[in-house]
C-alpha cells in the first residue's frame, strides 16, 4: 500500500520545558524550564563559588595535566610487544628523574654527612638480626657501608632483572660506563663478580670527581607479578663517612614489561683535599644500593670506585 507524502504520520515535537501527557491525562506542569534544561532533564545550575566545585575543578585540571604527560612502556605478552599506557607514576619510563626532586625525601647534602635519619644508628650486624622485613628507615640508620649483603640473593618474587646499565656525563653526553646482558644471562660481564651481578668495580678518571651531573640509566624486566611501588635508596661512602644519599622512586611497574629509567645525580662538590684522598685510596669509595617493593628490601647491590689520576676522560 502506498501513502502520499502529505498523508505520512508526523512526529510532534514538544518544547523541552513541556512534559508529554501520560496515558492518564495528567495535567501539565506550569513550572518554567531551568536554564540548564535539556533532553536529559532539568539540572540545577552549578555554583562556581561553591568550595566543593572549586576543589573538583582543581582535581580535574590535575588529572588532565597528568594524563598529558603519561609515559609509555613496552609490554611483552604472549601476543607480542604492545604499547601499554602507563598509569599513575608508572615507572616514569624513559623519563628523567632528578635527584633534586627526590632530595627532600633523603635530605641529602653535597658534602660529607653523618647520616640523614633522626633515629638512632643501626649497625649491619644488628640489622641482620632484625625480624624481616628490612625497610627504608632501617637502611637509613646505617652509618657506614656494609661488608656483606642484606639479602641472600637478588632472586625475588617479582623476578626483577637488570639487563642494561649506563653512566654518562650530562654536560658532554660522553658515556663513562656501559654494560649490557641478555635477560637470561647470570652475569653482566667480566667486570661483575660471580654473585649474579651484585657487585660492580668502577674505574673512573680522576676528572669524574669534578663532574657536576651524571645520568645513570638502567633497563630492567619484570616478571608475572605487578610491582606497585619500586624504590631505590643508594648511599655513597668514603672511608665509612657518608658522602651522599639518593632516594629514587621507580613507581608502578606492570607485569611482563621491560622498563627503562634514567636517574640524574647532582655530584657532590669535593675540595682538593678530598679529591686527593679519594685518588690515593682506591676502592675506599663505596656504595650500597637497596631496592624495595612496598617498603620491603628485595635486592642489595654493592660497588667500589677507583679514580685514576693518569687516565683522561
Amino acid at each position: 500500500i502506498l501513502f502520499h507524502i502529505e498523508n505520512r504520520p508526523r512526529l510532534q515535537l514538544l518544547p523541552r520545558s513541556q512534559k508529554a501527557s501520560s496515558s492518564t491525562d495528567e495535567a501539565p506542569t506550569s513550572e518554567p524550564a531551568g536554564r540548564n534544561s535539556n533532553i536529559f532533564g532539568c539540572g540545577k545550575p552549578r555554583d562556581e563559588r561553591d568550595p566543593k566545585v572549586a576543589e573538583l575543578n582543581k582535581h580535574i585540571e590535575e588529572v588532565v595535566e597528568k594524563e598529558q604527560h603519561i609515559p609509555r612502556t613496552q609490554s611483552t605478552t604472549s601476543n607480542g610487544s604492545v604499547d601499554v599506557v602507563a598509569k599513575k607514576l608508572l615507572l616514569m619510563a624513559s623519563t628523567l628523574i632528578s635527584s633534586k626532586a627526590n632530595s627532600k625525601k633523603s635530605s641529602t647534602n653535597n658534602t660529607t654527612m653523618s647520616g640523614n635519619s633522626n633515629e638512632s644508628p643501626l649497625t649491619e650486624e644488628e640489622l641482620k638480626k632484625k625480624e624481616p622485613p628490612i625497610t627504608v628507615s632501617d637502611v637509613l640508620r646505617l652509618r657506614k657501608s656494609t661488608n656483606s649483603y642484606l639479602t641472600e640473593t637478588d632472586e625475588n618474587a617479582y623476578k626483577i632483572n637488570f639487563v642494561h646499565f649506563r653512566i654518562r656525563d650530562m654536560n658532554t653526553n660522553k658515556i663513562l660506563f656501559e654494560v649490557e646482558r641478555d635477560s637470561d644471562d647470570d652475569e653482566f660481564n667480566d667486570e661483575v663478580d660471580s654473585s649474579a651481578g651484585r657487585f660492580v668495580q668502577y674505574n673512573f678518571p680522576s676528572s669524574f670527581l669534578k663532574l657536576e651531573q651524571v645520568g645513570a640509566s638502567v633497563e630492567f624486566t619484570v616478571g608475572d607479578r605487578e610491582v606497585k611501588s619500586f624504590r631505590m635508596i643508594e648511599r655513597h661512602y668514603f672511608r665509612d663517612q657518608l658522602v651522599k644519599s639518593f632516594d629514587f622512586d621507580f613507581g608502578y611497574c606492570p607485569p611482563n614489561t621491560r622498563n627503562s629509567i634514567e636517574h640524574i645525580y647532582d655530584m657532590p662538590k669535593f675540595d682538593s683535599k678530598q679529591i686527593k684522598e679519594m685518588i690515593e685510596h682506591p676502592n675506599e669509595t663505596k656504595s650500597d644500593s637497596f631496592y624495595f617493593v612496598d617498603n620491603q628490601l628485595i635486592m642489595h647491590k654493592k660497588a667500589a670506585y677507583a679514580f685514576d689520576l693518569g687516565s683522561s676522560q
Side-chain angles (χ1 to χ4, degrees):
I1 302 175
L2 300 178
F3 291 93
H4 292 288
I5 295 178
E6 60 270 16
N7 293 329
R8 286 183 180 177
R10 297 181 179 276
L11 178 64
Q12 296 182 354
L13 299 178
L14 300 176
R16 291 181 179 178
S17 59
Q18 182 179 344
K19 295 182 179 180
S21 301
S22 65
S23 59
T24 56
D25 294 332
E26 294 178 353
T29 178
S30 59
E31 182 181 354
R35 73 176 179 90
N36 283 349
S37 299
N38 53 47
I39 59 175
F40 300 105
C42 297
K44 180 181 178 182
R46 185 168 67 169
D47 186 359
E48 299 293 342
R49 295 170 298 178
D50 189 337
K52 293 184 178 180
V53 173
E55 182 179 354
L56 177 61
N57 289 338
K58 181 179 179 181
H59 175 70
I60 293 174
E61 292 176 358
E62 292 175 350
V63 171
V64 171
E65 179 68 19
K66 287 182 180 180
E67 291 296 324
Q68 290 176 344
H69 295 84
I70 283 180
R72 291 180 178 268
T73 184
Q74 194 73 13
S75 173
T76 303
T77 65
S78 57
N79 295 325
S81 296
V82 295
D83 276 343
V84 178
V85 177
K87 300 298 181 183
K88 291 172 61 178
L89 293 179
L90 167 57
L91 152 95
M92 293 171 249
S94 302
T95 58
L96 306 182
I97 298 182
S98 172
S99 60
K100 291 181 179 178
N102 293 299
S103 61
K104 294 181 181 179
K105 296 180 181 178
S106 56
S107 301
T108 60
N109 294 311
N110 285 330
T111 57
T112 302
M113 305 178 298
S114 60
N116 56 9
S117 174
N118 294 326
E119 301 182 52
S120 59
L122 191 65
T123 66
E124 180 180 349
E125 292 71 23
E126 291 172 334
L127 194 51
K128 287 183 176 180
K129 295 177 182 179
K130 175 184 178 292
E131 289 293 328
I134 295 176
T135 65
V136 170
S137 61
D138 290 332
V139 300
L140 291 178
R141 295 168 63 186
L142 293 171
R143 292 297 182 261
K144 62 179 183 179
S145 61
T146 60
N147 295 315
S148 58
Y149 297 95
L150 298 182
T151 58
E152 292 185 4
T153 68
D154 269 357
E155 295 180 2
N156 55 87
Y158 303 93
K159 297 182 179 179
I160 297 174
N161 188 20
F162 293 93
V163 295
H164 180 242
F165 183 68
R166 182 186 66 189
I167 298 177
R168 66 187 177 108
D169 178 0
M170 295 301 296
N171 290 334
T172 64
N173 203 33
K174 180 180 178 64
I175 296 176
L176 307 173
F177 179 87
E178 186 168 23
V179 61
E180 186 171 7
R181 67 170 179 173
D182 294 331
S183 58
D184 55 352
D185 285 346
D186 289 332
E187 296 183 73
F188 274 115
N189 55 21
D190 294 338
E191 293 182 272
V192 185
D193 73 1
S194 59
S195 57
R198 305 182 76 187
F199 176 81
V200 178
Q201 170 66 61
Y202 292 105
N203 290 281
F204 291 123
S206 58
S207 56
F208 182 87
L209 296 170
K210 297 180 181 180
L211 296 179
E212 297 179 353
Q213 217 176 46
V214 298
S217 60
V218 62
E219 291 185 25
F220 61 96
T221 57
V222 176
D224 295 334
R225 294 180 58 179
E226 65 177 355
V227 180
K228 294 182 179 179
S229 178
F230 191 24
R231 182 178 177 186
M232 179 187 74
I233 302 293
E234 186 168 280
R235 293 165 75 78
H236 292 252
Y237 301 86
F238 175 64
R239 289 188 161 185
D240 291 335
Q241 290 292 319
L242 185 62
V243 175
K244 193 161 186 178
S245 182
F246 298 92
D247 185 347
F248 293 110
D249 188 359
F250 292 76
Y252 172 80
C253 305
N256 301 312
T257 54
R258 181 181 177 116
N259 309 281
S260 64
I261 190 170
E262 183 171 38
H263 296 144
I264 306 303
Y265 290 80
D266 286 329
M267 295 291 288
K269 294 181 180 179
F270 302 109
D271 57 34
S272 57
K273 182 181 178 181
Q274 289 174 313
I275 292 176
K276 183 175 183 294
E277 289 181 346
M278 288 182 173
I279 294 173
E280 292 177 349
H281 299 88
N283 301 323
E284 291 193 38
T285 303
K286 303 176 181 180
S287 67
D288 284 297
S289 300
F290 305 101
Y291 297 86
F292 299 84
V293 172
D294 293 335
N295 199 29
Q296 296 187 20
L297 181 66
I298 63 165
M299 290 187 290
H300 178 197
K301 297 181 182 294
K302 297 171 63 65
Y305 305 79
F307 306 99
D308 187 359
L309 186 60
S311 64
S312 59
Q313 189 175 4

